[in-house]
């Protein structure tokens, strides 16, 4: 038996599991489509129902794979997609959302994000998000790669306060948001979706991380995910196309790391001592 996945409450009052699933790099290589589809379906079975995708990933290919995986079980997922900044005018956002819905084979998204800030005024994108919401095409909207100044600006825009999440780069080796953005989001009740939560694998050979993982008969990826799961209002969305690694990631929820070992991790991956501009991948 594994521990239940804890939940995070969105500003609208809905609880979602705090461990999700990413799809960047999926839907690119047709020869692995079946295993990708099976892995997404397994994520739903394991309760990792927040499925994150984007029109950008695989040029729509990731959304198509997700759509195939969710066929006949759309209601099991909390489906998230994103509009590219150069599509994020008022009419462009609405058009891009409909194109995503077509690829995903669904009539609504649970959450729609502005992928990162571009040239279009936030007012236009937010107005389109609100229009999509009123039409039932999305249930909520949010942003991605917004630093604290962007978030403050967003809250000044009409309906900007309806923002439901900010999805940003956050993992053991990228802790800059702990200085200001994360506490700001926590104070405002806006959950942070942590992307690249295992730094796309680059932190997994860190000797201290390996050492701590061994002490819990766990893997470095599990400890890296446990670090994020420990934080209030944070939803890591690890990507894997491997059913075995998906199981492994799911079991990160069971880890109970001691205060001493958190301190060791802080020494190996120091928290920020000053403002660090938000990093992006
Ligand atoms: P992750 O940190 O999730 O790492 C994914 C990589 O790690 C893959 O190569 C995967 O390989 C491997 N991996 C997964 N689990 C394990 C494990 N237990 N042990 C060893 N290796 C593992 O990086 P991503 O950049 O994919 O971030 C996650 C998601 O966040 C994306 O898929 C996307 O949905 C979102 N994202 C959003 C961005 C934004 O700008 N909003 C930017 C970047 C990502 P394999 O598949 O072979 O298992």
């Amino acid at each position: 038996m594994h521990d239940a996945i804890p939940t995070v409450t969105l500003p609208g009052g809905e609880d979602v599991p705090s461990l999700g699933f990413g799809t960047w790099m999926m839907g690119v290589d047709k020869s692995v489509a079946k295993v990708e589809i099976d892995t997404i379906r397994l994520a739903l079975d394991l309760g990792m129902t927040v499925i994150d995708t984007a029109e950008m990933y695989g040029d729509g290919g990731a959304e198509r794979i997700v759509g195939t995986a969710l066929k006949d079980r759309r209601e099991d997922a909390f489906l998230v997609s994103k509009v590219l900044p150069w599509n994020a005018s008022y009419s462009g956002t609405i058009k891009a959302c409909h194109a995503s819905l077509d690829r995903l084979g669904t009539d609504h998204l649970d959450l729609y994000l502005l992928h990162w800030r571009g040239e279009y005024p936030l007012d236009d994108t937010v107005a389109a998000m609100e229009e999509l919401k009123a039409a039932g095409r999305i249930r909520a909207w949010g942003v991605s790669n917004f630093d604290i100044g962007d978030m403050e600006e967003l809250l000044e825009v009409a309906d900007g306060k309806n923002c439901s999440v900010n999805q940003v780069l956050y993992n053991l080796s990228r802790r800059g948001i702990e200085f200001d953005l994360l506490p700001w989001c926590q104070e405002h009740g806006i959950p942070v979706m942590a992307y690249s939560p295992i730094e796309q694998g680059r932190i997994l050979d860190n000797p201290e991380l390996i050492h701590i993982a061994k002490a819990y008969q766990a893997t470095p990826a599990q400890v890296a995910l446990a670090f994020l799961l420990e934080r209030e209002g944070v939803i890591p969305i690890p990507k894997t196309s491997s059913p075995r690694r998906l199981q492994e990631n799911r079991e990160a929820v069971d880890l109970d790391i001691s205060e001493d070992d958190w301190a060791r991790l802080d020494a190996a991956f120091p928290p920020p001592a000053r403002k660090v501009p938000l990093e992006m991948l």
Side-chain angles (χ1 to χ4, degrees), residues 155-172:
L155 293 201
E156 296 299 313
V157 164
D159 295 321
K161 289 189 174 60
N162 293 341
C163 173
S164 286
V165 306
N166 185 12
Q167 183 178 120
V168 296
L169 177 61
Y170 183 31
N171 63 51
L172 272 173

Side-chain angles (χ1 to χ4, degrees), residues 168-217:
V168 296
L169 177 61
Y170 183 31
N171 63 51
L172 272 173
S173 67
R174 314 267 197 170
R175 297 182 61 173
I177 70 164
E178 289 174 23
F179 187 77
D180 55 353
L181 182 61
L182 180 59
W184 187 96
C185 287
Q186 287 167 334
E187 273 159 33
H188 287 81
I190 298 177
V192 165
M193 291 178 80
Y195 76 69
S196 308
I198 59 168
E199 184 63 17
Q200 300 180 332
R202 288 183 290 271
I203 53 175
L204 303 182
D205 59 358
N206 176 278
E208 190 66 9
L209 188 56
I210 293 172
H211 180 75
I212 291 169
K214 275 197 182 133
Y216 294 86
Q217 281 144 20

